[in-house]
């Protein structure tokens, strides 16, 4: 079992630092070089990594990891589409499906409003965790980070940049079930979002996104309840 765990850790380290050599992986993980070398050999034999530029001393991941991730993403999209469509029908607004990735959430699917005034975000865009409704919905369901939070950059005048203020915000998000965005990433965008939960925490988030002018406080509360129910329904399907 420990060999499997070591190999997975080595794969993650290669993906994060590629192209990377044995020594760098060893230092990054705090594992002996001999252990790392065995894991690299196993991963290479299984087709998960390959020599970078033909040099056997440096490694990078193969498309196999991408293929597995793609199949997982497609499964999530297939399950989410009926839920997203119902949410769009009920609100008439743009619906986003995002997944957490490192220090951001990534847009993997959207259903757009038919209203002429709309905010269009490209698929694959990364939004900061602390300055987006989707990001805060995910953050609120992660294990609380010990000690100080990392630096929180400001994107607009309403971005939460104080760690203690963010902690309080996440507690409120967790309590009510949904997060909101009051122009914190872009001043012209408003959104509410709820986390899609798996057995070990958030695996995605759903959001209703509108121009700021179309989400007054009373509608924000109504949309928040709708997106919370939708995210819960998707969690149950998954």
């Amino acid at each position: 079992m420990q060999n499997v765990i070591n190999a997975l850790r080595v794969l993650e380290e290669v993906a994060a630092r590629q192209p990377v050599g044995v020594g760098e992986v060893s230092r990054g993980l705090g594992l002996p070089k001999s252990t790392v070398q065995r894991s690299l050999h196993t991963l290479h034999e299984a087709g998960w990594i390959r020599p970078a530029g033909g040099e056997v001393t440096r490694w990078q991941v193969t498309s196999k990891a991408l293929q597995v991730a793609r199949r997982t993403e497609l499964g999530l999209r297939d399950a989410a589409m009926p839920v997203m469509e119902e949410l769009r029908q009920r609100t008439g607004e743009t619906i986003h499906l995002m997944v957490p990735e490192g220090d951001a959430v990534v847009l993997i699917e959207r259903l757009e409003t038919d209203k002429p005034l709309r905010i269009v975000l490209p698929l694959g865009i990364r939004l900061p965790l602390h300055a987006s409704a989707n990001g805060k919905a995910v953050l609120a369901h992660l294990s609380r980070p010990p000690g100080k939070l990392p630096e929180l950059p400001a994107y607009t005048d309403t971005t939460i940049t104080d760690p203690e203020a963010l902690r309080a915000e996440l507690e409120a998000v967790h309590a009510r079930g949904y997060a909101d965005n009051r122009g914190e990433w872009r001043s012209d965008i408003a959104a509410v979002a709820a986390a899609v939960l798996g057995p070990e925490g958030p695996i995605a988030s759903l959001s209703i996104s509108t121009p700021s002018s179309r989400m007054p406080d009373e509608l924000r509360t109504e949309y928040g309840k709708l997106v919370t129910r939708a995210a819960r329904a998707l969690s149950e399907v998954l």
Side-chain angles (χ1 to χ4, degrees):
M1 179 62 73
Q2 189 58 51
N3 289 340
V4 174
I5 292 173
N6 286 340
L8 290 173
R9 291 180 65 199
V10 168
L11 178 61
E12 291 174 347
E13 190 74 5
V14 171
R17 297 173 177 266
Q18 61 184 320
V20 65
V22 176
E24 294 169 90
V25 175
S26 175
R27 288 190 296 274
L29 296 177
L31 292 174
K33 283 187 177 181
S34 57
T35 300
V36 171
Q37 189 66 59
R38 284 195 299 272
S39 295
L40 290 170
H41 177 75
T42 299
L43 291 168
H44 184 217
E45 288 293 314
W48 287 93
I49 63 172
R50 62 181 176 83
E55 299 179 22
V56 295
T57 55
R58 299 182 72 78
W59 299 91
Q60 64 188 54
V61 296
T62 67
S63 62
K64 189 169 187 176
L66 181 62
Q67 292 164 10
V68 171
R70 182 66 176 164
R71 285 195 291 270
T72 302
E73 184 179 291
L74 285 174
L76 173 60
R77 281 175 167 169
D78 289 344
M81 286 302 288
V83 176
M84 294 175 67
E85 181 57 42
E86 181 179 355
L87 199 54
R88 179 172 64 170
Q89 291 292 331
R90 297 195 65 174
T91 64
E93 298 292 357
T94 298
I95 311 302
H96 288 148
L97 175 66
M98 299 193 180
V99 294
E101 185 178 286
D103 60 354
V105 283
V106 179
L107 179 61
I108 65 168
E109 190 56 272
R110 67 170 185 260
L111 295 180
E112 291 185 11
T113 179
D114 59 3
K115 297 175 181 177
L117 180 60
R118 66 184 73 181
I119 302 294
V120 180
L121 301 181
L123 295 179
I125 191 172
R126 296 170 62 87
L127 302 186
L129 292 176
H130 73 288
S132 63
N134 286 278
K136 289 189 290 183
V138 167
L139 271 180
H141 290 276
L142 292 176
S143 299
R144 298 298 189 271
K148 293 171 57 179
L149 288 169
E151 182 181 352
L152 305 173
Y155 295 90
T156 70
D157 291 342
T158 59
T159 305
I160 299 174
T161 57
D162 176 69
E164 291 309 313
L166 180 60
R167 289 182 192 276
E169 172 79 357
L170 296 180
E171 291 293 340
V173 170
H174 198 277
R176 68 175 176 251
Y178 67 90
D180 65 357
N181 172 12
R182 299 172 181 262
E184 295 159 43
W185 176 61
R186 276 177 42 180
S187 59
D188 57 340
I189 297 179
V192 290
V196 178
L197 301 176
E200 298 181 3
I203 58 176
S205 62
L206 280 174
S207 68
I208 303 167
S209 182
T210 77
S212 296
S213 60
R214 278 212 302 269
M215 197 180 289
D217 286 344
E218 62 272 15
L219 203 53
R220 186 184 302 272
T221 301
E222 179 185 338
Y223 283 177
K225 293 176 181 177
L226 288 175
V227 80
T228 300
R229 287 198 290 269
R232 187 178 300 124
L234 180 53
S235 297
E236 291 172 357
V237 169
L238 293 172

